[in-house]
Amino acid sequence: MELKPFEKRIWLSSPTMHGEELRYMTEAYSTNWMSTVGENINEIERIAAAKIGVGYAVALSSGTSALHMATKLAGERLYGKTALGKGALSGHRVFCSDMTFSATVNPVVYEGGVPVFVDTERGTWNMSPAALEKAFAEYPDVKLIVTAHLYGTPGRIDRIREIADRHGALLVEDAAESFGASLGGKQTGSFGDYGCISFNGNKIITGSSGGMFLTDTKEDAETVRKWSTQSRENAPWYQHEELGYNYRMSNVIAGVVRGQLPHLEEHIAAKKAIYERYRDGFRDLPVTMNPFDADHTEPNFWLSCLLIDEEAMCCQTRNDSAAAYTKEQGKTCPTEILETLAAYRAEGRPIWKPMHMQPIFKANSFVSLEGEDVGADIFRRGFCLPSDNKMTPDEQDTVIAIVRKCFA
Ligand SMILES: *Cc1c(COP(=O)(O)O)cnc(C)c1O
């Protein structure tokens, strides 16, 4: 097959709209519910809480703000209220996923906490329960865990929950990428004391932006509603006893989310078909797909990723701002494949660079099993494939052919 650049760019993961979004946005407009209250917000909170199986969902401006509220609440529950200007986690260590988007861990720092990064397991590419046990042996005083489910694949959140309970620790669950994914029939986002999902533009369900805070506790949901709307007290004027935030979702954004929500299962089915087509298309190459536990979990297949076998890796070097590689026959690397995809106007992406490798966190501890650094290895050999659910099977076959070419 002769390969030509795509006429229309192939995206990593772009919004897939259906029409109902516009109807609900228009409804917000025509009824003039254009601020942070309205029917769209009420409805999506009800629908999301029911879908995920939690008592309460609070619609916020982003997944990051939801994680911030979750982290702050956990800090106050653990250590009490602090003096003004001092974060709720001030000086306290927090166990965090290492290989993840920085938004998982930044809120810990907003609240003055000190992230201790816990290495990744090979079976799910999420926090390793074994490394977490080791982290508790090393830092027995830690009382909070923040863990993410990457690329739509549930981590071993049942085991992490059990470890947290055994050590009397709270759990914040970052399900930003895994809305609709489940473990043992239970939705991600419902295992933590507090959970979050994101409606950012490239997530499986989008509002263009937005997120949700999840909890089973009415009081905590009410606290987040209050904090996220500038912490106004019940008084005839603007009365403040606590620090406030402007984190509430707009009713217009909520209209987009409301129109998207009925399509969650359809989006997951499309993502799953993409994952399976890649898996079949790469079957004879020295690669594996991002793994999941087929017996216990149902991923949402948000992004399809590849890991190149060590034997098939050519020489690749990366510093803090650039990457280079030396071509070798029959071998390749993420850098060559991502550059080649880009040349054909298809968008891939490196794996999330582990937090313990980030300059900003160079002073923070990292706990891994003896002699291992699983996150660094997956970052070095792995990458995300174009996973847009508007990509046609023909287009995907071309992507597969472009990637295969790199192994020649
Ligand atoms: C997208 C994402 C977030 C943040 O969500 P926003 O809505 O973009 O703020 C947090 N954690 C992970 C793992 C994400 O992928």
Side-chain angles (χ1 to χ4, degrees), residues 61-65 67 100-101 103-104 148-150 174 176-177 196-200 202-203 209-211 302 352:
S61 55
S62 67
T64 308
S65 55
L67 280 162
T100 185
F101 184 36
T104 308
H149 303 281
L150 286 197
D174 178 356
E177 301 181 1
C196 113
I197 54 173
S198 165
F199 301 120
N200 161 325
N202 69 15
K203 299 300 200 294
S209 65
W302 177 54
W352 297 125

Side-chain angles (χ1 to χ4, degrees), residues 255-407:
V256 183
V257 176
R258 189 176 176 188
Q260 288 263 290
L261 283 173
H263 300 277
L264 174 60
E265 300 309 325
E266 174 193 330
H267 286 190
I268 294 175
K271 295 281 192 184
K272 184 174 183 180
I274 289 169
Y275 182 96
E276 289 175 345
R277 196 172 190 89
Y278 277 134
R279 189 194 55 201
D280 296 345
F282 294 132
R283 194 151 256 161
D284 57 327
L285 286 187
V287 295
T288 46
M289 299 285 295
N290 47 330
F292 65 95
D293 176 353
D295 294 334
H296 302 100
T297 67
E298 200 57 69
N300 73 11
F301 300 95
W302 177 54
L303 293 187
S304 290
C305 307
L306 272 190
L307 188 70
I308 302 169
D309 290 356
E310 187 64 59
E311 305 77 62
M313 279 285 292
C314 69
C315 178
Q316 170 188 248
T317 53
R318 282 168 166 168
N319 62 22
D320 278 342
S321 57
Y325 66 94
T326 313
K327 184 64 193 165
E328 289 171 61
Q329 209 195 340
K331 296 186 177 191
T332 184
C333 60
T335 303
E336 180 185 17
I337 295 174
L338 292 172
E339 284 179 6
T340 308
L341 283 170
Y344 284 94
R345 307 183 75 228
E347 186 189 25
R349 191 159 75 183
I351 297 298
W352 297 125
K353 183 174 180 174
M355 292 300 117
H356 80 279
M357 298 170 75
Q358 302 285 0
I360 183 178
F361 293 123
K362 62 178 180 293
N364 293 62
S365 308
F366 169 58
V367 180
S368 66
L369 299 182
E370 186 72 37
E372 291 245 47
D373 186 340
V374 175
D377 183 48
I378 296 173
F379 173 63
R380 186 173 60 90
R381 296 192 286 124
F383 64 96
C384 308
L385 290 153
S387 307
D388 194 34
N389 56 14
K390 290 168 301 310
M391 174 170 65
T392 65
D394 274 355
E395 288 170 332
Q396 193 181 348
D397 287 344
T398 304
V399 171
I400 292 169
I402 293 165
V403 172
R404 295 186 68 94
K405 205 168 74 111
C406 297
F407 285 85

Side-chain angles (χ1 to χ4, degrees), residues 18-270:
H18 302 275
E20 292 109 299
E21 298 87 350
L22 195 57
R23 198 180 95 215
Y24 292 121
M25 285 168 75
T26 308
E27 211 169 280
Y29 180 90
S30 56
T31 56
N32 206 33
W33 288 100
M34 292 296 284
S35 77
T36 54
V37 269
E39 200 47 35
N40 289 333
I41 295 175
N42 300 342
E43 270 303 290
I44 67 168
E45 289 184 342
R46 189 184 61 75
I47 295 165
K51 166 71 193 172
I52 297 166
V54 292
Y56 305 90
V58 182
L60 299 175
S61 55
S62 67
T64 308
S65 55
L67 280 162
H68 185 192
M69 296 290 87
T71 308
K72 177 168 165 136
L73 259 178
E76 290 203 351
R77 205 166 126 188
L78 289 166
Y79 307 111
K81 280 202 184 296
T82 51
L84 199 60
K86 204 162 167 242
L89 292 165
S90 220
H92 295 285
R93 291 193 180 91
V94 176
F95 293 144
C96 298
S97 284
D98 175 58
M99 193 179 85
T100 185
F101 184 36
S102 60
T104 308
V105 305
N106 284 342
V108 169
V109 183
Y110 301 163
E111 290 304 318
V114 182
V116 169
F117 299 113
V118 177
D119 201 12
T120 308
E121 62 167 4
R122 295 200 183 270
T124 69
W125 290 14
N126 289 306
M127 183 186 276
S128 155
L132 180 62
E133 294 272 24
K134 191 178 167 193
F136 270 114
E138 223 169 296
Y139 303 100
D141 294 340
V142 171
K143 289 289 173 230
L144 179 60
I145 303 165
V146 180
T147 188
H149 303 281
L150 286 197
Y151 304 129
T153 300
R156 294 286 151 78
I157 193 72
D158 50 343
R159 294 186 54 198
I160 292 171
R161 178 78 261 182
E162 183 273 317
I163 295 168
D165 291 344
R166 192 157 20 90
H167 291 272
L170 296 181
L171 180 61
V172 169
E173 188 185 5
D174 178 356
E177 301 181 1
S178 65
F179 183 31
S182 60
L183 182 143
K186 192 168 150 57
Q187 292 281 310
T188 59
S190 70
F191 289 85
D193 295 279
Y194 307 120
C196 113
I197 54 173
S198 165
F199 301 120
N200 161 325
N202 69 15
K203 299 300 200 294
I204 196 151
I205 290 293
T206 184
S208 74
S209 65
M212 268 186 189
F213 166 85
L214 311 166
T215 184
D216 276 329
T217 317
K218 182 160 193 245
E219 195 190 335
D220 289 329
E222 278 168 5
T223 300
V224 169
R225 284 181 206 284
K226 178 185 167 189
W227 287 352
S228 64
T229 50
Q230 305 289 18
S231 290
R232 283 183 69 179
E233 296 300 330
N234 198 3
W237 45 79
Y238 281 80
Q239 176 85 6
H240 301 288
E241 291 174 13
E242 293 185 289
L243 200 57
Y245 303 84
N246 181 8
Y247 278 175
R248 195 71 163 129
M249 184 186 279
S250 141
N251 192 49
V252 180
I253 298 288
V256 183
V257 176
R258 189 176 176 188
Q260 288 263 290
L261 283 173
H263 300 277
L264 174 60
E265 300 309 325
E266 174 193 330
H267 286 190
I268 294 175

